[in-house]
Amino acid sequence: EVNQLLNTILINVTEFFRDPPAWEILRTEILPPVLEGLKPGHSFRAWSAGCASGEEAYSIAILLAEYFGERIPEFDIKIYATDIDEEALTQARRGEYPIHNLRRMRPQWREKYFHGKERLRINRDVRSLVIFGRSNLAEDAPISRVNLLVCRNVLIYFDSKLQKHILARL
């Protein structure tokens, strides 16, 4: 019953590369200095907190795949993607999306990382970088030892007291 209630009231507004200027800053200014020192075999951990149906987590995966190119298998990359909505997580694990959700994505990335016609499915090599799990940001322990934490458009749904609590935990 709790899951049904959450599925009814949660909004889950998301899409790939939502708010393009923020993603461009991540791609060009934030990730390069963080990633340039990585050597083959090194780990890189990212966490998409409040990932909804996975578009944000897969957007991170695409940026990493673009940065590393064919060398990506040389690195231990894990993107943890968490949400409280089990139905959204099920959709995220499938990695299938209507073409509308990819409207902000560069056409060359859409062609490179997706296949299908009306519903596009993210390629297996990118999908394998992401691990989805259920987590309540207000109560569950945060994922530790991450190199990148993306928590966008989640805190707006909480009152200021709970926002401060969650931010302190993150």
Side-chain angles (χ1 to χ4, degrees):
E1 289 177 344
V2 170
N3 281 342
Q4 288 177 333
L5 175 63
L6 288 172
N7 290 341
T8 301
I9 63 173
L10 294 174
I11 296 171
N12 289 333
V13 175
T14 187
E15 65 184 73
F16 288 88
F17 298 99
R18 182 177 177 196
D19 187 16
W23 287 98
E24 189 62 15
I25 289 171
L26 179 63
R27 183 182 76 80
T28 61
E29 297 179 29
I30 297 171
L31 284 177
V34 172
L35 299 173
E36 69 186 349
L38 289 182
K39 306 276 187 259
H42 284 183
S43 296
F44 180 82
R45 302 285 184 257
W47 178 20
S48 173
C51 70
S53 51
E55 289 92 329
E56 179 176 275
Y58 288 132
S59 294
I60 296 167
I62 289 169
L63 291 183
L64 293 173
E66 281 296 301
Y67 181 86
F68 288 110
E70 292 180 7
R71 295 181 39 230
I72 200 163
E74 299 174 13
F75 300 89
D76 180 25
I77 296 173
K78 299 271 187 295
I79 301 164
Y80 302 101
T82 61
D83 202 279
I84 195 169
D85 185 340
E86 195 61 51
E87 191 174 298
L89 289 168
T90 297
Q91 179 183 347
R93 288 180 185 109
R94 274 195 311 266
E96 291 182 356
Y97 301 94
I99 197 161
H100 175 75
N101 288 35
L102 287 79
R103 69 177 182 217
R104 296 190 198 277
M105 185 179 296
R106 296 175 182 194
Q108 64 269 29
W109 290 357
R110 189 171 46 237
E111 291 172 20
K112 184 175 182 180
Y113 296 110
F114 290 84
H115 59 277
K117 298 236 187 256
E118 293 177 20
R119 290 191 61 81
L120 300 180
R121 185 162 196 186
I122 194 151
N123 293 342
R124 181 175 297 188
D125 53 342
V126 174
R127 207 168 62 240
S128 69
L129 299 174
V130 185
I131 301 165
F132 291 98
R134 188 175 189 282
S135 178
N136 181 335
L137 288 176
E139 298 174 6
D140 297 333
I143 294 175
S144 60
R145 297 187 184 98
V146 295
N147 305 97
L148 174 68
L149 169 60
V150 179
C151 182
R152 303 184 66 231
N153 303 309
V154 176
L155 297 176
I156 59 174
Y157 299 108
F158 304 118
D159 64 31
S160 61
K161 182 178 177 186
L162 189 51
Q163 287 175 349
K164 289 177 185 173
H165 170 75
I166 293 170
L167 285 171
R169 293 166 51 84
L170 296 177

